[in-house]
Amino acid sequence: PDYQPAGVIERAKIVAPEAEILTGKQVTVMLDGLMSTIKFGLVSCHNAFGDTVPTGKCPSQDGNMDHGTGYFDYSFPEGSSVDEAIADLAMLLTAGRLSSTNRATIKDVIEKEYYDGDKSKALRIAQQLVVSSPEFHTWGTHHSTTSTKRQVTGYPRKPKHSYKSVVYFYMQGGADLWNLVVPTGGCDGKDMYTEYTKARGHLALPKSNLLPITDTDQMCTDWGIHDKFPLLQQLYNEDDAAFFLNMGILAEPLTKGDDWGKKSKIQLFAHNHMTREQLALDPHDKKPGTGVGGRLLDMLKKNGFQTSGNTVDGSSRLNIGDSYYANPPATIATGEISTIDKYSSLPQGKMLDLVKKMNGNSEKGSSMMGEVWSEKLSTSLFEYETAVKIDAAVKSGEYNMPEYPPWAANLEVQFRAVAQYIKARDFRKVDREVHFVQQGGFDTHGSHALVPSLFKAADKALNNFVDEMKRQGLWEDTVIILGSDFGRSVAPNSNGGSDHAWGGNYFMIGGGIRGGKIYGDYPEDLSDKSPYWVRRGRMIPTMPWDAIWNSVAEWMGVKGDKDLEFVLPNRVNFDKCKKLFSGHELFNGVPETPCIEDADGDGIPDSLDQCPNTQYWIDAPVDNIGCQAPTTAAPTTYLAPTATPSYAPTLNGKLYEAEDGEHDDDKNSRVSSSQPGASGKYLI
């Protein structure tokens, strides 16, 4: 209910829960259904809204209404001019709100047919264009600057860097991960396995159900992994997997002696709030409406990388960035690609081109919801057209994955879709990506009976994906991070399950990580006497999620406190030398650097830096006072698959005037005279 799509809605700090389903395939299939119902009537063909085909055959000729159970029998008023006819249709379908720009677009395409040809065909064309418009799908008034399509394009040139990607694997529902990795022996001064079994009661796993691993640097040398995750044991022993203990969302270091409920800055233990916080990683809301993956991609894009944030069959807060950097999240669709407007009323491709014009750039005063529809539709059509091209290339053998097992369970389908998308990275011209995959079913209040089967399914899906990354030669350039809404209570509840909690144990896998290690601190006391135990076995985290994302950001190519604090706004509340991992600490191949105050990432302490705005991403030497040698490198240009920046619409009639280049966190809007259409004034 509190979903905020990126852009004008989140800038205005209101919600639009219905926009959560406006993603990729859902949008294009719905549009195709509306258009097909207009062209063929109520039939169960071409995504049309019918439940039967009485004749047993799908129509393939525009205007053939003989195969369905009904059709629209409206006709233009007799003797009306084309303008009057369009006005009548606009009144019926949009309560007269259809913009003059969109009326002109319709007139241009139907006028000849209306006067000299098939008037019923002109009607069908007009109806299809109207039902694609923001005025049809939302209330409010839409103002278009011109009948110009939004600039939704891919990158025009090959990337300059080698490829790296993060896959965020999200166990939805709050996974109980206290049984993921368990201390089993060799402990200093205390039998932690006995401590674990006492705290967990009937939820505790016997040692026979745990796969053994060791870590000589931990409080216990002997540990066990849940037996349904044999891949993790294999990767751990190959130094390609690492575990992180009692990790969770923290605004600052806390114990139960603190006012932890207030100081946490988040609404604890609720699915919707904790999911948002987990994906945003911004408990003080310094970058409202954004996600940690999106902000990471923003900084990478600023520094010359070509980026993409992708969610499989849905939407996710994770990959939403600051709207200034024009880095919109994309959807990876699964399953067969359904051809949109297969039997068109116009020459092939022209109808969709006109649909894009109907949803063109907006101007001041436009409906917020209309802006959301137009942006989502334009982006979805771009994703559809890209997917069609990739699918054709796959079928030709160019991006085929012959050794990857075929479609199976949902989670395997998602990971396979990501692998296929990565395989086509050269076609999409990207070199840095964050992917979001999720698995449901982990809200285990009543029983843990399904957890083993869920872990087994995850192990299989991950196994297939890891094998494919190795075949593509990308295993050392891919990292998979496990996340969830929150951890669950160490102690069982009275229903046989465990409850919403806070800290939990997680993993990260990848060929380039410093694996074979368990990081963080396992609670030495799993009772109510622990300084971290609150409310029936909920553990306050001892490691913030900022710790590993700091390292991931550096591995991906972000440097310097300024850029890292954009990615991780809460980073300043932790000792970066002791509580946050550097890129070198968790990843092979990342140079070790001293832990110093270094805003611009040039390796020179701020106290000695006489050139505090060094562009570290430009390959130019830096002297001992932090200054770069002159370079002929071209300035960074923002190239991305994105909609043209649009104006925030009216809210309470207040006009906010922003200076060129200003970025106001409260408004979360930024203007620059280099942007198309930027005037320096936003209505909010």
Side-chain angles (χ1 to χ4, degrees):
D2 57 357
Y3 177 76
Q4 291 179 307
V8 295
I9 297 297
E10 56 92 358
R11 286 200 296 271
K13 297 185 178 179
I14 60 176
V15 299
E18 63 274 27
E20 190 167 10
I21 63 171
L22 293 179
T23 58
K25 193 173 182 179
Q26 286 89 338
V27 175
T28 54
V29 169
M30 179 175 68
L31 175 65
D32 194 39
L34 289 167
M35 295 167 69
S36 293
T37 303
I38 290 167
K39 289 183 290 186
F40 308 117
L42 296 174
V43 294
S44 57
C45 305
H46 317 310
N47 294 315
F49 303 138
D51 60 1
T52 184
V53 183
T55 64
K57 182 179 179 182
C58 287
S60 59
Q61 181 65 42
D62 170 35
N64 184 345
M65 307 290 179
D66 299 333
H67 299 268
T69 56
Y71 58 90
F72 299 121
D73 64 354
Y74 167 82
S75 59
F76 284 135
E78 190 69 30
S80 60
S81 68
V82 67
D83 292 303
E84 292 169 338
I86 293 171
D88 192 67
L89 190 62
M91 178 59 70
L92 289 171
L93 296 181
T94 70
R97 292 175 293 104
L98 191 67
S99 70
S100 59
T101 302
N102 281 346
R103 294 184 194 215
T105 297
I106 295 172
K107 180 179 178 180
D108 286 345
V109 72
I110 73 166
E111 186 169 22
K112 189 175 188 312
E113 194 77 53
Y114 183 85
Y115 287 122
D116 302 329
D118 183 350
K119 191 171 288 189
S120 62
K121 181 176 181 179
L123 171 61
R124 291 193 300 275
I125 294 170
Q127 287 175 319
Q128 290 174 74
L129 292 175
V130 173
V131 300
S132 77
S133 71
E135 296 93 332
F136 176 79
H137 288 274
T138 65
W139 287 101
T141 305
H142 181 76
H143 300 292
S144 299
T145 52
T146 62
S147 58
T148 303
K149 296 180 292 183
R150 291 169 185 253
Q151 295 176 5
V152 186
T153 60
Y155 291 98
R157 58 175 177 258
K158 292 181 179 179
K160 301 175 182 177
H161 310 89
S162 59
Y163 181 82
K164 287 184 179 180
S165 70
V166 176
V167 180
Y168 193 71
F169 173 31
Y170 193 77
M171 290 183 170
Q172 190 273 331
D176 192 322
L177 299 172
W178 289 105
N179 288 349
L180 177 67
V181 59
V182 177
T184 57
C187 306
D188 293 334
K190 193 172 189 179
D191 186 345
M192 288 306 301
Y193 180 73
T194 298
E195 183 86 1
Y196 156 82
T197 56
K198 286 181 180 178
R200 298 245 72 188
H202 71 274
L203 297 178
L205 295 179
K207 290 185 180 181
S208 60
N209 283 28
L210 295 167
L211 305 173
I213 58 171
T214 60
D215 188 325
T216 57
D217 295 326
Q218 271 289 339
M219 61 181 296
C220 301
T221 58
D222 300 329
W223 295 75
I225 299 171
H226 197 291
D227 66 348
K228 299 304 179 184
F229 259 127
L231 174 67
L232 293 181
Q233 182 193 39
Q234 173 194 327
L235 294 177
Y236 185 90
N237 291 332
E238 294 172 354
D239 294 339
D240 287 350
F243 292 94
F244 299 87
L245 303 176
N246 195 27
M247 188 162 62
I249 298 293
L250 283 172
E252 60 182 85
L254 294 170
T255 68
K256 72 178 179 184
D258 301 310
D259 187 0
W260 53 269
K262 182 177 181 180
K263 290 185 176 181
S264 68
K265 301 297 181 184
I266 57 179
Q267 186 168 330
L268 295 166
F269 317 135
H271 287 293
N272 58 336
H273 291 280
M274 293 294 279
T275 295
R276 183 177 64 241
E277 299 297 343
Q278 177 74 15
L279 303 180
L281 214 57
D282 183 18
H284 292 277
D285 206 26
K286 294 180 180 179
K287 305 290 182 185
T290 64
V292 61
R295 296 191 303 270
L296 169 59
L297 295 172
D298 285 344
M299 288 299 94
L300 291 168
K301 183 182 173 189
K302 175 179 78 75
N303 299 343
F305 291 94
Q306 298 183 186
T307 62
S308 181
N310 315 300
T311 300
V312 180
D313 279 343
S315 60
S316 167
R317 175 71 169 270
L318 179 76
N319 286 326
I320 297 175
D322 188 302
S323 56
Y324 172 71
Y325 294 101
N327 233 354
T331 301
I332 304 174
T334 59
E336 291 295 320
I337 299 173
S338 176
T339 302
I340 306 302
D341 195 31
K342 185 175 182 180
Y343 301 105
S344 184
S345 304
L346 293 170
Q348 197 63 36
K350 187 174 181 181
M351 180 64 76
L352 294 185
D353 196 56
L354 289 167
V355 166
K356 295 172 189 176
K357 287 185 177 182
M358 296 287 291
N359 290 272
N361 298 326
S362 62
E363 63 181 13
K364 299 173 186 177
S366 279
S367 158
M368 290 189 190
M369 298 303 178
E371 173 68 14
V372 171
W373 165 259
S374 293
E375 184 173 343
K376 294 281 190 179
L377 175 59
S378 299
T379 302
S380 296
L381 287 173
F382 171 77
E383 292 170 1
Y384 162 74
E385 289 162 354
T386 300
V388 168
K389 293 174 184 175
I390 292 175
D391 186 59
V394 169
K395 289 175 179 175
S396 71
E398 188 174 357
Y399 302 123
N400 200 11
M401 301 187 302
E403 297 180 63
Y404 206 115
W407 308 109
N410 177 263
L411 187 61
E412 294 173 62
V413 170
Q414 291 185 64
F415 272 104
R416 194 183 196 282
V418 171
Q420 185 74 79
Y421 214 56
I422 291 174
K423 182 85 170 180
R425 62 194 178 278
D426 291 341
F427 174 86
R428 296 181 294 112
K429 300 180 177 65
V430 294
D431 52 23
R432 289 294 186 274
E433 296 196 272
V434 178
H435 306 279
F436 182 83
V437 172
Q438 67 178 333
Q439 178 187 26
F442 287 95
D443 196 15
T444 51
H445 288 285
S447 169
H448 279 203
L450 292 178
V451 172
S453 62
L454 292 171
F455 279 3
K456 184 176 181 180
D459 185 82
K460 182 180 179 182
L462 285 167
N463 216 327
N464 292 337
F465 182 79
V466 169
D467 286 346
E468 179 60 29
M469 290 302 97
K470 291 178 179 178
R471 286 190 290 269
Q472 292 187 26
L474 292 175
W475 178 229
E476 294 192 357
D477 303 306
T478 303
V479 62
I480 303 166
I481 302 169
L482 176 67
S484 191
D485 313 18
F486 38 64
R488 299 193 82 85
S489 58
V490 175
N493 61 28
S494 59
N495 294 321
S498 53
D499 291 327
H500 300 181
W502 202 346
N505 302 329
Y506 297 87
F507 66 72
M508 182 166 71
I509 61 177
I513 74 170
R514 296 185 186 274
K517 291 183 65 63
I518 300 172
Y519 295 92
D521 300 318
Y522 196 84
E524 294 187 21
D525 188 346
L526 292 178
S527 74
D528 59 6
K529 297 181 177 61
S530 167
Y532 302 105
W533 174 295
V534 295
R535 296 185 185 175
R536 306 190 310 276
R538 292 162 165 161
M539 301 303 295
I540 297 175
T542 49
M543 179 187 294
W545 271 100
D546 307 75
I548 64 169
W549 276 105
N550 190 78
S551 185
V552 168
E554 291 191 9
W555 173 71
M556 289 282 274
V558 179
K559 296 181 183 179
D561 293 331
K562 183 178 179 181
D563 283 4
L564 287 168
E565 286 164 17
F566 182 94
V567 178
L568 301 166
N570 196 49
R571 179 178 182 268
V572 296
N573 292 320
F574 299 96
D575 184 336
K576 68 177 182 179
C577 302
K578 297 178 181 179
K579 294 296 184 180
L580 305 179
F581 296 112
S582 69
H584 174 78
E585 286 178 289
L586 295 186
F587 289 91
N588 299 310
V590 179
E592 184 174 9
T593 55
C595 187
I596 57 175
E597 297 301 315
D598 179 14
D600 60 0
D602 61 1
I604 305 299
D606 290 343
S607 59
L608 303 176
D609 198 337
Q610 296 184 27
C611 297
N613 294 308
T614 299
Q615 296 178 313
Y616 62 80
W617 56 91
I618 295 176
D619 189 17
V622 177
D623 61 24
N624 59 6
I625 58 171
C627 298
Q628 285 177 316
T631 177
T632 58
T636 301
T637 54
Y638 299 145
L639 302 170
T642 176
T644 300
S646 58
Y647 294 99
T650 303
L651 181 65
N652 298 330
K654 180 182 177 183
L655 177 66
Y656 169 63
E657 296 192 13
E659 298 298 328
D660 186 44
E662 178 185 354
H663 192 176
D664 189 311
D665 283 331
D666 291 334
K667 311 296 184 298
N668 196 31
S669 58
R670 185 170 184 169
V671 296
S672 167
S673 57
S674 63
Q675 288 180 288
S679 70
K681 292 186 178 182
Y682 284 75
L683 282 169
I684 61 172

